[in-house]
Amino acid sequence: MQAIKPDLVCPGHGELIPMDALRIAEYTDYIQRKEAAFRCR
Amino acid sequence: MLIDYGLVSPGHLHFGNDHDGMRALRFVEHHIDQLRDDYGVRDIELAVPTHIHDDHVCGIPFLQKHFGTQCWALDCIAPVIFDPAAWASTPCCFHKPIEVHRILYDGEAFQCRGFDFEIYYAPGQTEYHAFILGKIDGKRIVFGGDNLLNPQAGGIASVIAIHSTVMRNSFHLEMHAAARR
């Protein structure tokens, strides 16, 4: 996601989601926190 | 070109175990008339699935039967949709084999009718999942399948893209880092 840098996301269900640097960071941070939770860090 | 062609609405999803009942998964043709009447689309030349799940691919055999549509798929998706019987333990596979005409690889670029696309391996909701990036009208649009969902339906009011994780869908810890990169 960080490499692709989309302007828009078309999800599999639901409406288009506008993206910018902040939202990409939000998305990757969500993954980061999820991974930390799964690995109990 | 269609990216995914599956069920028309969540109402067609099959959540229960009543395989013979009214709620059993059933594909119904949709949007073809609208594409023809409103946009002049006469042919569906290509379908590229974002992931293996039945609600996203179950219409592709219909396209192949009626339009001779080609299916191009990421290398990890192709074997699953081509031979679903061999992946019976993988949740939400569509039971009909789908012919795959071209296998795409992580990071590969391809074109359709002058439009540029790239495909990326992006596991999460299932291991067999891709992001498809289209460069359309000057914008970079990611077709994220079910790895990028707006969770408004889950009670979150703001419009955000979240990365989905479904433990039953062959979950691996490495999925997180792969989707973030």
Side-chain angles (χ1 to χ4, degrees), chain B residues 161-178:
Chain B
I162 64 159
H163 176 255
S164 64
T165 299
V166 178
M167 297 296 185
R168 293 171 297 174
N169 289 348
S170 309
F171 174 76
H172 300 287
L173 277 175
E174 291 71 22
M175 286 179 174
H176 294 137

mmCIF file of all heavy atoms in Angstrom, chain B residues 161-178:
data_model
loop_
_atom_site.group_PDB
_atom_site.id
_atom_site.type_symbol
_atom_site.label_atom_id
_atom_site.label_comp_id
_atom_site.label_asym_id
_atom_site.label_seq_id
_atom_site.Cartn_x
_atom_site.Cartn_y
_atom_site.Cartn_z
ATOM 1 N N ALA B 161 -10.154 3.014 5.325
ATOM 2 C CA ALA B 161 -9.863 1.704 4.736
ATOM 3 C C ALA B 161 -9.164 0.875 5.791
ATOM 4 O O ALA B 161 -8.149 1.301 6.346
ATOM 5 C CB ALA B 161 -8.972 1.869 3.516
ATOM 6 N N ILE B 162 -9.688 -0.279 6.085
ATOM 7 C CA ILE B 162 -9.010 -1.159 7.032
ATOM 8 C C ILE B 162 -8.612 -2.450 6.343
ATOM 9 O O ILE B 162 -9.195 -2.860 5.351
ATOM 10 C CB ILE B 162 -9.891 -1.491 8.258
ATOM 11 C CG1 ILE B 162 -11.135 -2.279 7.839
ATOM 12 C CG2 ILE B 162 -10.246 -0.232 9.015
ATOM 13 C CD1 ILE B 162 -11.752 -3.050 8.962
ATOM 14 N N HIS B 163 -7.596 -3.051 6.884
ATOM 15 C CA HIS B 163 -7.101 -4.328 6.377
ATOM 16 C C HIS B 163 -7.818 -5.437 7.121
ATOM 17 O O HIS B 163 -7.807 -5.479 8.340
ATOM 18 C CB HIS B 163 -5.591 -4.391 6.635
ATOM 19 C CG HIS B 163 -4.970 -5.680 6.244
ATOM 20 N ND1 HIS B 163 -4.580 -6.632 7.159
ATOM 21 C CD2 HIS B 163 -4.679 -6.179 5.022
ATOM 22 C CE1 HIS B 163 -4.056 -7.658 6.520
ATOM 23 N NE2 HIS B 163 -4.093 -7.417 5.235
ATOM 24 N N SER B 164 -8.482 -6.310 6.383
ATOM 25 C CA SER B 164 -9.269 -7.345 7.046
ATOM 26 C C SER B 164 -8.427 -8.590 7.309
ATOM 27 O O SER B 164 -7.499 -8.903 6.564
ATOM 28 C CB SER B 164 -10.502 -7.700 6.212
ATOM 29 O OG SER B 164 -10.115 -8.259 4.988
ATOM 30 N N THR B 165 -8.757 -9.253 8.369
ATOM 31 C CA THR B 165 -8.106 -10.509 8.709
ATOM 32 C C THR B 165 -9.187 -11.504 9.101
ATOM 33 O O THR B 165 -10.008 -11.208 9.956
ATOM 34 C CB THR B 165 -7.150 -10.330 9.914
ATOM 35 O OG1 THR B 165 -6.150 -9.394 9.567
ATOM 36 C CG2 THR B 165 -6.511 -11.651 10.292
ATOM 37 N N VAL B 166 -9.188 -12.643 8.446
ATOM 38 C CA VAL B 166 -10.142 -13.690 8.801
ATOM 39 C C VAL B 166 -9.345 -14.939 9.138
ATOM 40 O O VAL B 166 -8.684 -15.519 8.283
ATOM 41 C CB VAL B 166 -11.138 -13.963 7.655
ATOM 42 C CG1 VAL B 166 -12.089 -15.095 8.039
ATOM 43 C CG2 VAL B 166 -11.931 -12.707 7.340
ATOM 44 N N MET B 167 -9.383 -15.296 10.403
ATOM 45 C CA MET B 167 -8.520 -16.382 10.895
ATOM 46 C C MET B 167 -8.758 -17.703 10.156
ATOM 47 O O MET B 167 -7.829 -18.475 9.943
ATOM 48 C CB MET B 167 -8.761 -16.593 12.400
ATOM 49 C CG MET B 167 -8.396 -15.414 13.243
ATOM 50 S SD MET B 167 -6.637 -15.077 13.171
ATOM 51 C CE MET B 167 -6.524 -13.765 14.376
ATOM 52 N N ARG B 168 -9.979 -17.965 9.786
ATOM 53 C CA ARG B 168 -10.273 -19.258 9.163
ATOM 54 C C ARG B 168 -9.748 -19.348 7.740
ATOM 55 O O ARG B 168 -9.694 -20.429 7.175
ATOM 56 C CB ARG B 168 -11.787 -19.485 9.146
ATOM 57 C CG ARG B 168 -12.383 -19.672 10.520
ATOM 58 C CD ARG B 168 -13.886 -19.674 10.444
ATOM 59 N NE ARG B 168 -14.382 -18.398 9.965
ATOM 60 C CZ ARG B 168 -15.655 -18.143 9.691
ATOM 61 N NH1 ARG B 168 -16.549 -19.083 9.824
ATOM 62 N NH2 ARG B 168 -16.030 -16.955 9.274
ATOM 63 N N ASN B 169 -9.382 -18.210 7.148
ATOM 64 C CA ASN B 169 -8.983 -18.211 5.743
ATOM 65 C C ASN B 169 -7.480 -18.367 5.588
ATOM 66 O O ASN B 169 -6.810 -17.511 5.031
ATOM 67 C CB ASN B 169 -9.440 -16.915 5.062
ATOM 68 C CG ASN B 169 -10.937 -16.884 4.888
ATOM 69 O OD1 ASN B 169 -11.613 -17.894 5.060
ATOM 70 N ND2 ASN B 169 -11.460 -15.719 4.568
ATOM 71 N N SER B 170 -6.940 -19.444 6.103
ATOM 72 C CA SER B 170 -5.519 -19.735 5.953
ATOM 73 C C SER B 170 -4.667 -18.584 6.468
ATOM 74 O O SER B 170 -3.782 -18.091 5.778
ATOM 75 C CB SER B 170 -5.174 -20.010 4.486
ATOM 76 O OG SER B 170 -6.045 -20.972 3.945
ATOM 77 N N PHE B 171 -4.915 -18.159 7.670
ATOM 78 C CA PHE B 171 -4.218 -16.999 8.230
ATOM 79 C C PHE B 171 -2.748 -17.302 8.510
ATOM 80 O O PHE B 171 -2.421 -18.342 9.051
ATOM 81 C CB PHE B 171 -4.905 -16.557 9.525
ATOM 82 C CG PHE B 171 -4.183 -15.475 10.250
ATOM 83 C CD1 PHE B 171 -4.232 -14.173 9.793
ATOM 84 C CD2 PHE B 171 -3.435 -15.762 11.383
ATOM 85 C CE1 PHE B 171 -3.558 -13.161 10.463
ATOM 86 C CE2 PHE B 171 -2.761 -14.755 12.052
ATOM 87 C CZ PHE B 171 -2.826 -13.458 11.594
ATOM 88 N N HIS B 172 -1.884 -16.383 8.117
ATOM 89 C CA HIS B 172 -0.473 -16.460 8.459
ATOM 90 C C HIS B 172 -0.039 -15.104 8.990
ATOM 91 O O HIS B 172 -0.481 -14.068 8.479
ATOM 92 C CB HIS B 172 0.388 -16.801 7.234
ATOM 93 C CG HIS B 172 0.040 -18.109 6.615
ATOM 94 N ND1 HIS B 172 0.350 -19.327 7.175
ATOM 95 C CD2 HIS B 172 -0.632 -18.405 5.475
ATOM 96 C CE1 HIS B 172 -0.098 -20.303 6.412
ATOM 97 N NE2 HIS B 172 -0.703 -19.776 5.377
ATOM 98 N N LEU B 173 0.834 -15.107 9.970
ATOM 99 C CA LEU B 173 1.276 -13.834 10.541
ATOM 100 C C LEU B 173 1.934 -12.939 9.495
ATOM 101 O O LEU B 173 1.836 -11.723 9.553
ATOM 102 C CB LEU B 173 2.263 -14.094 11.681
ATOM 103 C CG LEU B 173 1.633 -14.404 13.045
ATOM 104 C CD1 LEU B 173 2.716 -14.769 14.044
ATOM 105 C CD2 LEU B 173 0.832 -13.200 13.547
ATOM 106 N N GLU B 174 2.580 -13.531 8.518
ATOM 107 C CA GLU B 174 3.296 -12.732 7.521
ATOM 108 C C GLU B 174 2.354 -11.921 6.636
ATOM 109 O O GLU B 174 2.783 -11.036 5.897
ATOM 110 C CB GLU B 174 4.166 -13.642 6.651
ATOM 111 C CG GLU B 174 5.346 -14.252 7.375
ATOM 112 C CD GLU B 174 4.938 -15.325 8.378
ATOM 113 O OE1 GLU B 174 3.834 -15.884 8.210
ATOM 114 O OE2 GLU B 174 5.695 -15.565 9.320
ATOM 115 N N MET B 175 1.053 -12.223 6.697
ATOM 116 C CA MET B 175 0.111 -11.480 5.861
ATOM 117 C C MET B 175 0.158 -9.982 6.151
ATOM 118 O O MET B 175 0.013 -9.157 5.264
ATOM 119 C CB MET B 175 -1.314 -11.972 6.109
ATOM 120 C CG MET B 175 -1.627 -13.328 5.515
ATOM 121 S SD MET B 175 -3.314 -13.769 5.922
ATOM 122 C CE MET B 175 -3.500 -15.269 4.970
ATOM 123 N N HIS B 176 0.355 -9.636 7.401
ATOM 124 C CA HIS B 176 0.312 -8.223 7.757
ATOM 125 C C HIS B 176 1.388 -7.427 7.027
ATOM 126 O O HIS B 176 1.115 -6.435 6.350
ATOM 127 C CB HIS B 176 0.499 -8.053 9.266
ATOM 128 C CG HIS B 176 -0.634 -8.623 10.051
ATOM 129 N ND1 HIS B 176 -0.456 -9.357 11.191
ATOM 130 C CD2 HIS B 176 -1.959 -8.578 9.836
ATOM 131 C CE1 HIS B 176 -1.628 -9.732 11.664
ATOM 132 N NE2 HIS B 176 -2.559 -9.274 10.854
ATOM 133 N N ALA B 177 2.600 -7.875 7.177
ATOM 134 C CA ALA B 177 3.706 -7.135 6.583
ATOM 135 C C ALA B 177 3.596 -7.088 5.061
ATOM 136 O O ALA B 177 3.929 -6.084 4.425
ATOM 137 C CB ALA B 177 5.034 -7.774 6.996
ATOM 138 N N ALA B 178 3.100 -8.165 4.473
ATOM 139 C CA ALA B 178 2.988 -8.200 3.014
ATOM 140 C C ALA B 178 1.986 -7.176 2.506
ATOM 141 O O ALA B 178 2.179 -6.568 1.448
ATOM 142 C CB ALA B 178 2.586 -9.593 2.561
#
